[in-house]
Structures are given as C-alpha cells and as structure tokens.
C-alpha cells in the first residue's frame, strides 16, 4: 500500500508499504527501493508482572510468558522453547479489592455491566461494542460463567400467593423444562428449577426450593398440568387454584422474557450451564424489577452482595 506521508529513514523513499507488527505491537514498514524494514515507534510491551522474568536454564536468555493459569504461570524461551512454571503468588494485572475478581483484567464495574446486559438479552458482540474497551466476546462469555456462581435470587419473606408454570428449552432436539414460581403482588421470581422431565417429582423439588420447612398457608395458582396434583398429596397448607391456559400471566410474562434471552443467545452450547443461566436470569430480572430497570443501581446491588458475602 502506497503511503505519501511516511518515508524511509535510510534512503528517503516514500515507496513503502505496511509490513505487519513486531512482537511489541509496533507498526513495521518495508521500503521497496532499498528493501529495508523499519519502525517509526520503538516502544516495548509493558510487563504483566513487576518481578524479573526467569532465565532459560539451557541458553540463558530471558523467558517470556506463555500461559497464565490459576495455580501457576508458564514461561517459555523464544529461542530454544524450553518451558518453566512459577506459582501464581505474584502481583496481579490490575489490583482489585476482592479475591473473587483477582483474575479479571478490567475493573469490576465493567464486568458487572457486561453481566447485567447479558441477561437483558443483549448479544456478546453488542456488549463488547458498548463497553468501549478492547476485549473479545469470548472473554465476556467467561466473565458471565464465573460471575453466575456468586448470586442467588431474592425471595420475599411475605409471599403468600405465588404462580407456578413451566416452559420448554430445546437442546439438540431434546426437551428440557424450566420451572418458575412468581410472587403475585411483586411479580418477582421466588424459585426456579431445571429438569429433563415434567412429573410430580419435579413439582415437589420446585416447591421445596421455595417453602423449605415453612408451614405458612400459601395460595398456589397453576394451569391444568397433571403433575401439580402432587400439591394436594404432599402439602396440606397449600391452597391449589387451577386456571385455564393463558390466564397465568405472571409466569407467562417471565417465560416470554426468558425465551427472548434464549433466542438472543441462539440456544445453549453446553446444557450443563443451563441451571447457572436460569439462576442469573432470575437474579438480574428481579433486581431490574426492584430498581426500575436502572442498570447502575442493579450493578451497585450486585457489588454490595459480593463485598458482604
């Protein structure tokens, strides 16, 4: 590619083109007249760690970081490819106040913003573009997986009237069922369950997640699914009300949001992660409902739950 601004420092020719980058990320140029490769900037890459990198035991040259793991850092010699490992009791990339975030290279508020946007059915690449930082969508996906184990759903202590329903998620032509219990007044998700089957045993698991050992009187509203017959058999303190299909709006509205989330993600790559996605979806949707869809306030609540846990 011709460039009329940059000239060769040796012969002064402007008959040059770009020739990739060096190992530090500096732009290289190639002069077509004198066949010389040169750089206009000679800055070096910043070291990830402040301590001296180890010397190669074979050739004596300084080794470079090859991979960074949780338990150790792998070094490799660029000349003879000899490898070595050092434990990770080392300074981190960016000092963060919580051990849970010590392997993130970006500040916590950026990671939490990506987490909230993801469960608002925003695609990974759209999240990457909105953050205005240089990060791949794969890195954001790994943030989501790691953060999803930190949070649990908020359960109203005065919930006496709940709606129960289930929806289907397809994975490789197999059906999986996602169950929700939604509180009538606040419209918050108070319990969830993921199963391969739709029988009385799954209804029992769903109800136990919400009721536990509590003996208070509860009104449960469901559709005509026969599996909810387990309520009358197992629970004497539950008043079971059956409504027609299409009249259980509290649950159906949540399932429409969940299906929008599934469509935005174009399905799931690993079905083992489905319970984790459902739990985080419930957490984010409850917080958005409680905080008027204010993402900044939701991030603040999530951050406070991490610092106090």
């Amino acid at each position: 590619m011709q460039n009329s601004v940059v000239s060769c420092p040796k012969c002064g020719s402007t008959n040059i083109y770009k020739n990739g980058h060096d190992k530090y990320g500096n732009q290289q140029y190639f002069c077509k007249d004198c066949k010389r490769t040169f750089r206009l900037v000679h800055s070096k890459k910043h070291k990830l760690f402040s301590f001296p990198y180890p010397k190669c035991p074979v050739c004596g040259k300084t080794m470079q970081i090859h991979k960074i793991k949780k338990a150790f850092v792998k070094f490799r010699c660029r000349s003879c490819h000899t490898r070595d490992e050092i434990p990770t009791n080392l300074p981190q990339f960016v000092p963060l106040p919580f051990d849970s975030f010590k392997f993130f290279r970006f500040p916590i508020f950026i990671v939490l913003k990506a987490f909230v946007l993801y469960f608002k059915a925003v695609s990974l690449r759209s999240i990457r573009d909105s953050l205005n930082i240089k990060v791949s969508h794969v890195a954001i996906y790994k943030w989501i997986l790691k953060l999803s184990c930190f949070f649990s759903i908020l359960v109203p202590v005065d919930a006496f009237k709940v709606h129960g329903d289930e929806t289907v998620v397809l994975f490789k032509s197999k059906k999986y069922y996602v169950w929700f219990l939604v509180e009538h007044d606040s419209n918050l998700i108070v319990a969830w369950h993921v199963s391969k089957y739709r029988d009385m045993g799954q209804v029992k698991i769903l109800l136990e997640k919400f009721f536990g050992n509590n003996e208070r009187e509860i009104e449960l509203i469901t559709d005509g699914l026969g599996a909810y017959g387990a309520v009358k058999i197992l629970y004497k303190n539950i008043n079971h009300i059956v409504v027609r299909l299409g009249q259980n709006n509290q649950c159906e509205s949540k399932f429409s949001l969940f299906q929008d989330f599934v469509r935005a993600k174009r399905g799931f790559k690993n079905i083992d992660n489905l319970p984790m996605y459902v739990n985080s979806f419930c957490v984010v949707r409850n917080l958005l409902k409680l905080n008027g869809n204010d993402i900044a306030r939701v991030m603040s609540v999530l951050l406070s739950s991490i610092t106090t846990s």
Side-chain angles (χ1 to χ4, degrees), residues 108-116 147 151 299 302-303 306:
I108 296 175
F109 73 91
I110 292 179
V111 180
L112 289 176
K113 182 178 180 181
F115 179 80
V116 175
L147 280 178
F151 310 113
M299 291 164 53
L302 292 174
L303 182 59
I306 295 173

Side-chain angles (χ1 to χ4, degrees), residues 208-263:
E208 285 180 347
K209 285 187 174 181
F210 173 54
F211 297 116
N213 297 323
N214 201 312
E215 297 296 332
R216 67 183 185 273
E217 295 290 331
I218 298 293
E219 185 175 295
L220 175 63
I221 302 172
T222 67
D223 56 17
L225 181 66
Y228 289 107
V231 175
K232 293 183 178 180
I233 300 173
L234 300 174
Y235 298 93
K236 304 301 182 183
N237 60 324
I238 298 180
N239 179 23
H240 184 206
I241 300 175
V242 179
V243 297
R244 292 185 298 174
L245 291 175
Q247 295 185 354
N248 200 3
N249 293 330
Q250 274 79 357
C251 276
E252 290 166 1
S253 62
K254 297 299 181 182
F255 283 134
S256 64
L257 293 173
F258 182 74
Q259 293 293 355
D260 289 342
F261 166 74
V262 175
R263 283 192 291 269

